[in-house]
């Protein structure tokens, strides 16, 4: 992900366009989901399937416990959008949640997820409260390298 040292980084809207989503929640905005970071950073991604209902806090704890020596963290919206761009068919099999980005919408905390309605791919929001069903996959990431400056 280019956060801004090499050329102009992509904006949230440019990332959404690159993913070719049929539908996007109007509440997914750069103001609610700012992209932050420095340099060009490479990440390794993993879809975590817990196969049972779990809360957001429980899922985050499971992700961080996967490899304590080289920890995974919940993916942010930029990771989710890059994953959707690179692997567009994955969300047709199961919805994919990015628990690392949280925004308040209508007085509740929401997180982004990739899913499908009918045969159309979309970028949605769901409340962070409650449980994620066994059908969901949680995007986990960890930094592989930072290839340039500050």
């Amino acid at each position: 992900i280019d956060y801004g040292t090499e050329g102009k980084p992509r904006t949230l809207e440019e990332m959404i366009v690159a993913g070719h989503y049929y539908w996007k929640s109007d509440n997914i905005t750069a103001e609610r989901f700012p992209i932050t970071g420095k340099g060009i950073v490479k990440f390794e991604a993993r879809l975590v399937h817990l196969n049972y209902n779990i809360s957001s806090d429980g899922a985050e704890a499971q992700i961080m416990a996967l490899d304590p020596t080289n920890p995974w963290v919940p993916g942010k919206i930029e990771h989710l959008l890059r994953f959707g761009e690179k692997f567009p068919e994955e969300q047709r099999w199961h919805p994919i949640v990015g628990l690392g980005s949280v925004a308040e919408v209508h007085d509740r905390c929401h997180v982004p997820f990739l899913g499908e309605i009918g045969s159309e791919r979309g970028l949605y929001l769901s409340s962070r409260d409650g449980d994620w069903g066994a059908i969901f996959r949680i995007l986990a990431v960890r930094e592989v390298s930072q290839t340039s400056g500050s």
Side-chain angles (χ1 to χ4, degrees), residues 1-141:
I1 296 175
D2 186 347
Y3 287 110
T5 60
E6 298 283 327
K8 183 182 169 216
R10 288 199 292 179
T11 65
L12 178 70
E13 280 301 318
E14 289 169 336
M15 290 177 154
I16 292 168
V17 168
H20 303 286
Y21 301 102
Y22 176 77
W23 190 86
K24 172 195 84 79
S25 168
D26 291 338
N27 290 308
I28 297 176
T29 63
E31 293 76 31
R32 285 195 173 108
F33 293 97
I35 308 275
T36 59
K38 293 182 180 179
I40 296 174
V41 184
K42 292 186 180 182
F43 292 92
E44 179 179 11
R46 175 179 182 174
L47 292 181
V48 178
H49 180 214
L50 298 169
N51 207 25
Y52 51 85
N53 293 355
I54 192 167
S55 68
S56 294
D57 288 340
E60 288 177 350
Q62 292 283 341
I63 287 168
M64 290 187 251
L66 289 171
D67 184 354
T69 60
N70 188 11
W72 294 91
V73 296
K76 295 182 179 181
I77 194 161
E78 57 264 34
H79 305 122
L80 187 68
L81 292 171
R82 181 68 178 126
F83 187 88
E85 178 184 353
K86 192 168 181 180
F87 305 104
E89 296 303 309
E90 281 294 319
Q91 73 190 78
R92 294 187 187 282
W93 299 103
H94 35 254
I96 302 167
V97 183
L99 289 176
S101 290
V102 181
E104 188 174 314
V105 179
H106 307 299
D107 299 323
R108 297 186 78 188
C109 290
H110 286 76
V111 294
F113 76 95
L114 303 175
E116 180 182 58
I117 293 182
S119 62
E120 303 296 344
R121 296 171 54 247
L123 175 59
Y124 306 94
L125 281 182
S126 184
S127 173
R128 190 180 183 286
D129 302 334
D131 286 350
W132 297 101
I135 190 173
F136 283 88
R137 303 305 190 266
I138 312 298
L139 181 64
V141 298

